[in-house]
């Protein structure tokens, strides 16, 4: 109570208060100036920087993948299609109780542990409103079953995406190839931005070789997104340019006929249209289903394919190196005429064996007792080995090498799909380089019957046969004959087929060779006379039997007593019709025995089908 | 003096204060409409809150300042009691106990303290000669520290800072000697390590992020970075109403509450901000004017304390949005969505008006 009596200096208190208010006002003014300075810095000085940041924040550029071009056969059959593949997808933000939902789904759709594990892994990575796939490649039945139950599963949906599908499956696998998921190696050889929305890329065959044509050009859409990346609206859109459709020279029905004729045996068939170089059939047997590779093949299935003794993944038509056997004879006969080493009517005595001067080594004819006096046509018709031992010896290795190279044997044909093997036409240089040994005359002798070091691929052999049938006009073999824009239907640029000539000095040298090849199938003593019987057209051919184990050739020992994988390869080259060739083939049946037994009948079936089918 | 002004005078409304306050509230509704994604329903709700708060302001303005002074200790005691209750049984909201559910309505006792603390300090100090002696200073400090610690323990750092600031503002205006102020500042600086030790993890993260937002750009630093982008991209004239991409595309967090100023900066630019700052400045200058012209110590200390607190509100929020202060949950006065701070502010303005308009009646 005492204190209340203390005198209060009200005016002094008021003065102090005023000073303090002024001071507070000054401090506030300074602080406000700080805020204003900061705003000037952000809004006026650094404005451009922040407007850029805000722009980057909201606009995202998303790729629109182009639709891949289709591949058709010459007979208009779709060989590579884009089909909707159905997958079961879940939008996480719309689901309550993920485990329960999946358990319920399992009751109507086959979902295994692998699917569930992959799903949960993806679930962690993706955003809550993005659909996460649970099962791929639903069957039609599963799609139907889910559709009926759809109301029970909000947030679960069936998504259709285009995937590559090869309707003919294994039939066209080695020619058309397949697409697969893009991997890191692929990304190194493509324009990454053009593939930003694409999941698949050509891995083999036409799909790989014409990747840039088939793929098309990626489109873009600018979208406005919110902070979580959800698309709010599309601001701008550049449509994708679809890939171009390919029409390939392959005849799907001929391909089927050839595959059926091979009947599952290991081997290769290549048929070429001599006029254009277009590949009519390209078969490597056994084959595999390319569809299995499109969305990634399971490791077990791939292992099975890889370990399969028939080696289905191996493209025999392009990569198989085979000794040509007697199919080389018409080419060597032509060489002999060209170099003046033989006259067509000049006789060579065939006692059933051949011996080089000064050597004791004996080279046997396939026919015990020999062919007797043999001229050039007869040597081809009856496939006389002794005649060609002697002919090869007289030609010499250098001229043989040079001449066979002119037909494209022993080197890549340049067919428009990748992966070709070189084959081998040996030369003195080659032997010195690779074996560090000089060339022996005996090696020239066995070259005369297509044995020894000589190796050719089926596509080389078919191409050489086509060139022979066209009397020297060589067309580089190729599969794609037309590229078409799917929107305008206008054909796109395709370089002209490479054409070259095998120069033969005397044009009439072709005649005895070709007529002898006609007699191989139509003559009374021809090695393939059974295959030529009753043909409504005339065709030409040459059988070949390539020896895999070094045994003396005897008539009795035709290979059938050997274990299958050591039996001879059966070969046949031919073309039809003989005077106006429209199809030339090379057929190789591995371990098929003699050329007349296995390969020639197959060629006959091809000719029958192709010539009748195309309206002869 | 015309009749209309006379009427407002009799209704105890101070026009120079009322006018900018209503303008700011109007701007608030416009910004909120954009920030909340053009939700009309939400704007109507906020409009009703503003109306209720204005009505409360009107009622408070009718109370004579002497009456307010007499109620101060009771009001303060009630507030502290409720704070204790909140700490004991309070609902957990947003991880912090702040609300007291009274069945009919919920109240946030910490908000009451924003007014109760300056009131009680002003009441306590006005009683005796100023500047206060050491003993009175210690008692006044305890009156401030007790509720501040309780609020900080909820935890609600932002409000604790504001409540503390309100009390300290009154102390400062009461003429506390400079050497005492210097001593307290020194003591506070020494206490910083202790405060750091007592802070929750999320509070530490906020401070660290304030110091270096780029450290965790997608985590806790996100708010500051995105807020800076919003403010900076507004430029001189802004992107235009409803055109702020940062806010509309949800890049900006808390865009209708604590970060509404960023939306305003983005859409209305530096020009818009200048207008808003001018209105706030007008309110503050008017408040200071009222404090200077108050007729007794209680009135002038309380008016001065409240208006300084109002400034702290604005400064802390803008400092946070522009990245100059750490992120503390303080709304932008009169603009941010929500009723609690609005009611507190309007009651404060009501008190200011009461102090100013009852003056003449006393002098008559």
């Amino acid at each position: 109570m005492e204190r209340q009596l203390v005198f209060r200096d009200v005016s002094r208190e008021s003065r102090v208060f005023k000073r303090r208010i002024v001071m507070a006002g000054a401090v506030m003014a300074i602080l406000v100036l700080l805020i204003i300075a900061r705003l000037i810095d952000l809004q006026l000085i650094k404005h451009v920087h922040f407007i850029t940041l805000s722009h980057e924040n909201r606009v995202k550029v998303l790729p629109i993948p182009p639709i891949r071009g289709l591949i058709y056969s010459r007979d208009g059959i779709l060989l590579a299609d884009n089909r909707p593949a159905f997958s079961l997808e879940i939008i996480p933000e719309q689901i309550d109780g993920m485990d329960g939902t999946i358990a319920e789904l399992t009751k109507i759709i086959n979902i295994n542990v692998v699917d569930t594990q992959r799903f949960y892994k993806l679930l962690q990575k993706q955003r809550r409103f993005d659909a996460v796939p649970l099962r791929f490649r639903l069957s039609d039945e599963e799609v139907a079953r889910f559709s009926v139950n759809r109301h029970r599963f909000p947030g679960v949906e069936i998504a259709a995406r285009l995937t590559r599908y090869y309707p003919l499956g294994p039939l066209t696998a080695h020619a058309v190839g397949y697409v697969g998921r893009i991997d890191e190696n692929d990304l190194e050889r493509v324009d990454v931005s053009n593939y930003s929305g694409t999941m698949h890329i050509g891995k083999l065959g036409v799909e790989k070789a014409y990747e840039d044509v088939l793929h098309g050009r990626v489109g873009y859409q600018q979208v406005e997104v919110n902070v979580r990346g959800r698309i709010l609206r599309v601001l701008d859109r550049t449509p994708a340019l679809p890939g171009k459709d390919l029409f390939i020279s392959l005849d799907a029905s001929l391909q089927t006929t050839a595959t059926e004729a091979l009947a599952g045996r290991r081997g290769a068939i290549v048929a070429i249209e001599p006029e254009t170089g277009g590949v009519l059939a390209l078969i490597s047997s056994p084959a595999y289903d390319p569809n299995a590779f499109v969305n990634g093949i399971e490791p077990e299935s791939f292992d099975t394919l890889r370990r399969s003794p028939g080696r289905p993944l191996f493209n025999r038509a392009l990569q198989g190196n085979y000794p040509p056997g007697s199919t080389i004879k018409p080419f060597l006969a032509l060489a002999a005429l060209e170099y003046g080493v033989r006259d067509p009517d000049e006789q060579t005595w065939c006692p059933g064996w051949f011996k080089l001067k000064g050597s004791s080594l004996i080279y046997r004819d396939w026919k015990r007792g020999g062919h007797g006096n043999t001229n050039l046509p007869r040597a081809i018709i009856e496939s006389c080995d002794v005649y060609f031992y002697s002919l090869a010896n007289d030609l010499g290795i250098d001229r043989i090498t040079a001449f066979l190279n002119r037909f494209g044997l022993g080197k890549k044909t340049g067919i428009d799909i990748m992966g070709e093997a070189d084959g081998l036409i040996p030369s003195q240089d080659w032997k010195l380089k690779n074996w560090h040994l000089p060339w022996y005359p005996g090696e020239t002798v066995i070259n005369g019957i297509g044995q020894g070091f000589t190796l050719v691929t089926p596509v080389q052999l078919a191409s050489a046969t086509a060139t022979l049938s066209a009397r020297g006009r060589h067309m580089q073999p190729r599969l794609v004959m037309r590229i078409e824009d799917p929107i305008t239907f206008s054909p796109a640029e395709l370089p002209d087929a490479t054409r070259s000539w095998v120069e033969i000095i005397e044009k009439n040298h072709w005649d005895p060779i070709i007529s002898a090849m006609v007699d191989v199938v139509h003559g009374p003593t021809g090695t393939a006379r059974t295959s030529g019987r009753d043909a409504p057209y005339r065709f030409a051919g040459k059988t070949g039997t390539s020896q895999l184990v070094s045994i003396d050739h005897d008539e009795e020992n035709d290979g059938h007593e050997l274990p299958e994988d050591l039996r001879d390869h059966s070969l046949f080259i031919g073309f039809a019709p003989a005077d106006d060739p429209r199809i030339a083939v090379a057929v190789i049946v591995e371990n098929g025995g003699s050329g007349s037994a296995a390969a020639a009948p197959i060629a006959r079936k091809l000719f029958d089908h192709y010539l009748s089918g195309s309206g002869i | 003096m015309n009749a209309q002004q006379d009427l407002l005078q009799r209704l105890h409304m101070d026009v120079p204060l009322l006018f900018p306050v209503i303008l700011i509230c109007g701007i608030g509704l416009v910004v909120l409409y954009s920030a909340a994604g053009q939700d009309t329903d939400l704007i109507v709700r906020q409009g009703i809150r503003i109306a209720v708060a204005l009505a409360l302001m009107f009622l408070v303005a009718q109370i004579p300042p002497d009456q307010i002074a007499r109620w101060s200790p009771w009001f303060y005691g009630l507030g502290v009691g409720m704070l204790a209750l909140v700490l004991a049984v309070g609902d957990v909201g947003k991880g912090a106990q702040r609300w007291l559910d009274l069945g009919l309505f919920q109240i946030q006792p910490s908000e009451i303290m924003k007014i109760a603390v300056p009131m009680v300090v002003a009441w306590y100090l006005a009683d005796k000669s100023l500047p206060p002696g050491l003993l009175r200073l210690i008692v006044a400090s305890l009156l401030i520290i007790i509720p501040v610690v309780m609020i900080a323990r909820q935890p609600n750092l932002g409000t604790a800072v504001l409540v503390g600031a309100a009390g300290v503002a009154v102390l400062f205006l009461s003429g506390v000697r400079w050497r005492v102020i210097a001593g307290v500042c020194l003591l506070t600086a020494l206490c910083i390590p202790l405060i750091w030790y007592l802070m929750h993890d999320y509070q530490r993260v906020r401070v660290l992020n304030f110091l270096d937002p780029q450290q965790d750009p997608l985590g806790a630093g996100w708010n500051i970075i995105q807020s800076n982008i919003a403010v900076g991209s507004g430029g001189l004239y802004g992107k235009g109403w409803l055109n702020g991409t940062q806010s509309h595309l949800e890049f900006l967090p808390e865009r209708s509450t604590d970060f509404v100023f960023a939306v305003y900066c983005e859409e209305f630019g530096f020009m818009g901000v200048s207008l808003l700052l001018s209105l706030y400045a007008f309110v503050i200058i008017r408040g200071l004017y009222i404090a200077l012209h108050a007729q007794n110590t209680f009135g002038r200390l309380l008016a001065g304390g409240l208006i300084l607190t109002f400034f702290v509100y604005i400064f802390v929020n803008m400092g946070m949005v522009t990245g100059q202060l750490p992120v503390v949950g303080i709304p932008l006065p009169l603009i941010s969505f929500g009723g609690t701070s609005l009611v507190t502010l309007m009651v404060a303005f009501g008190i200011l008006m009461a102090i100013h308009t009852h003056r003449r009646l006393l002098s008559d």
Side-chain angles (χ1 to χ4, degrees):
Chain A
M1 286 297 115
E2 199 183 351
R3 275 188 186 179
Q4 280 190 331
L5 297 173
V6 173
F7 173 72
R8 285 184 71 171
D9 185 349
V10 176
S11 69
R12 184 180 161 269
E13 280 181 21
S14 176
R15 254 194 347 264
V16 168
F17 182 77
K18 266 180 197 156
R19 272 215 304 276
R20 289 286 158 113
I21 286 288
V22 169
M23 229 176 285
V27 170
M28 286 192 285
I30 290 166
L31 293 178
V32 166
L33 283 177
L34 274 178
I35 293 276
I36 290 174
R38 174 70 173 175
L39 285 168
I40 288 173
D41 181 41
L42 289 177
Q43 294 198 293
L44 304 182
I45 297 169
K46 292 186 187 148
H47 171 62
V48 175
H49 167 68
F50 284 112
I51 196 94
T52 311
L53 285 182
S54 92
H55 203 67
E56 281 171 5
N57 248 352
R58 72 185 185 101
V59 177
K60 277 210 168 70
V61 175
L62 298 180
I64 307 170
I67 295 171
R68 198 174 175 85
L70 304 177
I71 302 176
Y72 294 94
S73 73
R74 75 159 50 210
D75 45 344
I77 306 289
L78 192 53
L79 304 180
D81 191 7
N82 299 316
R83 287 205 180 165
F86 297 100
S87 55
L88 191 70
E89 302 190 338
I90 294 182
I91 301 167
E93 69 174 4
Q94 296 180 11
I95 302 286
D96 20 281
M98 189 61 80
D99 294 327
T101 306
I102 291 175
E104 277 300 302
L105 280 169
T106 311
K107 289 178 189 166
I108 56 167
I109 283 170
N110 180 24
I111 296 163
N112 60 34
V113 186
V114 180
D115 293 327
T116 333
Q117 280 171 351
R118 182 184 48 207
F119 173 79
Y120 278 111
K121 218 178 273 173
L122 282 173
L123 191 64
Q124 287 169 0
K125 282 192 238 158
Q126 290 193 343
R127 295 170 298 192
R128 298 281 301 159
F129 53 85
D130 274 344
V132 182
L134 175 60
R135 248 295 306 277
F136 294 101
R137 275 181 279 179
L138 296 176
S139 69
D140 289 348
E141 200 191 324
E142 286 174 319
V143 171
R145 258 205 308 266
F146 177 78
S147 303
V148 173
N149 288 286
R150 181 178 203 133
H151 62 277
R152 291 170 48 207
F153 300 102
V156 182
E157 55 188 32
I158 290 201
R161 294 215 166 91
L162 289 182
T163 10
R164 206 61 159 170
Y165 179 72
Y166 304 100
L168 302 187
L171 194 69
T172 54
H174 286 295
V176 172
Y178 55 79
V179 297
R181 293 267 167 92
I182 297 177
D183 60 34
E184 280 166 25
N185 296 333
D186 297 322
L187 287 177
E188 278 172 20
R189 61 185 175 87
V190 298
D191 172 8
V192 174
S193 72
N194 195 26
Y195 279 78
S196 47
T198 308
M199 287 171 74
H200 295 95
I201 191 169
K203 297 277 189 185
L204 216 60
V206 173
E207 291 273 32
K208 180 177 184 180
Y210 287 86
E211 174 62 31
D212 51 344
V213 178
L214 287 165
H215 179 262
R217 191 79 216 162
V218 70
Y220 288 99
Q221 54 181 352
Q222 282 198 322
V223 293
E224 192 172 59
V225 294
N226 72 2
V227 65
R228 282 177 288 275
R230 188 198 296 269
I231 295 172
L232 302 177
R233 65 193 170 109
V234 176
L235 300 173
D236 188 26
R237 204 180 149 89
T238 311
L241 223 60
K244 296 193 167 57
D245 294 342
L246 296 184
F247 290 80
I248 64 173
S249 55
L250 219 62
D251 183 310
S253 69
L254 186 67
Q255 191 86 355
T256 311
T257 307
T259 303
E260 282 166 3
L262 260 176
R265 284 172 291 179
R266 280 171 288 112
I269 298 171
V270 177
I272 291 175
E273 188 176 47
E275 175 81 26
T276 61
V279 176
L280 299 169
L282 189 141
I283 283 154
S284 173
S285 170
Y288 56 91
D289 185 0
N291 293 307
F293 287 86
V294 174
N295 284 308
I297 187 165
E298 285 89 22
E300 310 89 73
S301 314
F302 185 66
D303 224 42
T304 313
L305 279 175
R306 221 162 40 89
R307 286 163 194 247
S308 168
R311 297 208 289 155
L313 298 176
F314 180 57
N315 192 337
R316 291 171 164 79
L318 297 185
Q319 296 168 324
N321 279 318
Y322 297 94
S326 301
T327 58
I328 205 78
K329 286 175 182 170
F331 301 99
L332 291 177
L334 191 62
L337 296 180
E338 174 73 5
Y339 291 117
V341 171
R342 288 289 183 279
D343 219 40
D345 297 324
E346 196 182 333
Q347 303 276 340
T348 297
W349 173 254
C350 168
W353 52 269
F354 178 79
K355 214 165 86 169
L356 281 172
K357 282 196 188 84
S359 164
S360 58
L361 202 65
I362 282 177
Y363 302 90
R364 290 182 187 280
D365 196 283
W366 63 269
K367 189 174 178 183
R368 178 174 284 182
H371 298 271
N373 254 336
T374 309
N375 62 8
L376 186 142
R378 199 174 150 217
I380 292 175
I381 295 162
E382 296 177 15
S383 199
C384 173
D385 292 341
V386 170
Y387 184 94
F388 280 96
Y389 290 145
S390 148
L391 180 147
N393 190 44
D394 292 349
L395 270 173
I397 184 61
D398 294 342
R399 290 196 286 195
I400 290 176
T401 307
F403 195 79
L404 292 181
N405 278 337
R406 278 155 77 178
F407 273 87
L409 294 169
K411 57 186 181 192
K412 291 185 172 75
T413 63
I415 187 174
D416 53 350
I417 55 179
M418 291 108 170
E420 252 189 295
D422 285 315
L424 174 66
I425 300 298
S427 65
Q428 300 203 44
D429 283 349
W430 171 83
K431 191 168 176 206
L432 204 59
K433 208 182 277 173
N434 290 276
W435 289 70
H436 306 292
L437 285 172
W439 187 261
Y440 300 124
E443 289 163 347
T444 312
V445 173
I446 55 167
N447 259 341
I449 62 162
Q451 296 286 154
F453 296 118
T454 313
L455 293 170
V456 296
T457 63
V459 67
Q460 280 171 19
L461 205 53
S463 175
T465 306
T467 305
L468 178 69
S469 79
R471 291 166 189 255
R473 196 191 57 209
H474 169 75
M475 303 295 289
Q476 193 174 52
R478 66 175 184 187
L479 276 159
V480 173
M481 23 176 240
R482 196 150 54 88
I483 300 175
E484 202 177 85
D485 189 296
I487 299 166
T488 60
F489 298 109
S490 61
E493 281 290 308
L494 182 67
D496 282 335
T498 316
R499 177 193 299 203
S500 59
W501 291 88
V502 176
E503 294 297 338
I504 298 292
I505 300 159
E506 289 285 341
K507 295 292 176 209
N508 57 13
H509 285 163
W510 297 102
D511 300 333
I513 309 293
I514 290 173
S515 76
M517 287 175 75
V518 171
D519 285 334
V520 168
V521 288
H522 296 298
T525 58
T527 51
R529 58 189 178 275
T530 47
S531 295
R533 195 173 292 145
D534 303 328
Y537 50 90
R538 283 168 69 76
F539 68 102
K542 180 69 195 84
T543 56
T545 307
S546 71
Q547 222 178 301
L548 294 180
V549 281
S550 194
I551 43 164
D552 288 335
H553 264 213
D554 284 319
E555 242 178 330
E556 291 88 358
N557 190 356
D558 60 0
H560 281 281
E561 293 135 39
L562 285 163
E564 198 197 333
D565 58 344
L566 294 179
R567 279 181 216 153
D568 298 340
H569 290 335
S570 171
L571 286 88
F572 187 83
I573 60 170
F575 51 90
D579 46 0
D580 175 25
R582 296 179 43 225
I583 174 171
V585 302
V587 178
I588 289 170
V589 182
E590 284 183 14
N591 315 117
S594 76
S596 56
I602 292 173
R604 169 71 195 272
K605 283 180 189 165
L606 257 67
F607 294 154
D608 280 355
H609 177 89
Y610 187 67
L611 295 179
S612 69
S614 53
I616 268 281
Chain B
M1 194 178 280
N2 60 43
Q4 201 178 6
Q5 263 184 330
D6 195 43
L7 176 72
L8 284 166
Q9 191 69 47
R10 227 178 286 160
L11 291 173
H12 300 290
M13 290 286 99
D14 181 54
V15 179
L17 188 59
L18 184 66
F19 189 64
V21 164
I22 289 177
L23 262 182
I24 293 171
C25 287
I27 289 177
L29 288 179
V30 170
V31 183
L32 280 181
Y33 183 70
S34 174
Q38 301 168 39
D39 183 348
T40 323
D41 185 47
L42 187 139
I43 296 308
V44 169
R45 259 159 52 212
Q46 183 70 3
I48 291 169
R49 281 187 186 136
I50 291 172
V52 169
L54 281 171
L56 208 59
M57 177 185 82
F58 177 79
L59 288 179
V60 171
Q62 309 311 310
I63 307 169
D66 287 352
Q67 195 65 43
I68 295 173
R70 273 195 293 279
W71 287 348
S72 293
W74 304 105
F75 191 52
Y76 176 82
L78 183 76
V80 171
M82 287 203 292
L83 269 182
L85 211 59
V86 160
L87 282 178
V89 300
D91 282 349
V92 175
K94 283 192 178 177
Q97 303 166 337
R98 296 177 186 176
W99 300 90
L100 196 60
D101 198 339
L102 297 184
L104 278 175
F105 57 100
Q106 293 181 322
I107 47 172
Q108 214 175 339
S110 54
E111 282 297 324
I112 292 176
M113 297 318 285
K114 283 181 185 168
I115 292 183
V117 166
M119 264 167 78
V120 82
V121 175
W123 165 79
Y124 179 70
L125 294 180
D127 206 22
K128 298 282 154 55
S129 159
L130 292 176
L134 188 62
L135 184 68
R136 294 178 67 78
L137 197 60
I138 290 169
V139 173
S141 300
L142 280 177
L143 286 174
I144 300 168
I145 289 168
I146 290 166
V148 165
V149 168
M150 289 171 95
I151 294 166
R153 287 222 9 225
Q154 287 182 348
N156 186 351
L157 203 61
T159 308
V161 166
L162 285 178
V163 169
V168 170
V170 176
L171 279 181
F172 172 77
L173 293 174
S174 74
V176 172
R177 287 177 209 293
W178 286 107
R179 55 175 182 271
V180 177
I181 295 174
V184 169
C185 286
L186 196 69
L187 201 66
T188 315
L190 290 175
C191 279
I192 285 176
L194 182 71
I195 293 169
W196 180 255
Y197 174 74
L198 289 173
M199 272 203 269
H200 282 256
D201 280 345
Y202 81 92
Q203 291 168 332
R204 286 182 200 169
V205 168
R206 279 182 186 177
V207 174
L208 286 177
N209 277 307
F210 159 67
L211 295 173
D212 182 12
Q214 301 297 336
Q215 190 184 32
D216 181 16
L218 288 179
W222 169 268
N223 289 11
I224 297 170
I225 292 170
Q226 295 301 329
S227 169
N228 278 346
I229 294 175
V231 174
S233 65
L236 183 58
Y237 297 107
K239 293 177 182 170
W241 188 47
L242 305 179
N243 287 331
T245 53
Q246 283 293 105
S247 38
H248 288 283
L249 302 176
E250 299 170 39
F251 285 97
L252 205 59
E254 305 281 334
R255 58 193 176 284
S256 53
T257 53
D258 295 354
F259 280 87
V260 73
F261 184 58
V263 178
Y264 184 80
C265 288
E266 189 186 17
E267 297 193 349
F268 298 98
F270 189 71
M271 300 300 273
V273 174
S274 303
L275 172 72
L276 186 65
L277 284 178
S278 307
L279 289 171
Y280 277 136
F282 204 92
V283 171
I284 290 166
I285 290 166
R286 182 64 187 174
L288 294 177
Y289 175 87
I290 289 171
L292 282 173
H293 290 83
Q295 278 175 325
N296 58 28
T297 312
F298 172 75
R300 92 170 62 116
L301 286 183
L302 182 57
L306 288 176
I307 208 69
L308 290 191
T309 314
F310 180 70
F311 172 80
V312 172
Y313 256 101
I314 299 166
F315 178 74
V316 172
N317 182 270
M318 289 187 177
M320 165 184 88
V321 169
T322 55
Q324 290 172 302
L325 292 175
V327 175
V328 283
I330 291 177
L332 184 65
L334 304 178
I335 291 189
S336 284
F337 183 79
T340 315
S341 92
L342 195 63
V343 166
T344 313
L345 286 166
M346 289 300 189
V347 167
F349 289 131
I351 292 171
L352 281 174
M353 287 181 186
I355 290 168
H356 196 60
T357 55
H358 288 272
R359 186 181 53 127
R360 283 182 194 156
L361 295 177
L362 287 171
S363 66
D364 281 346

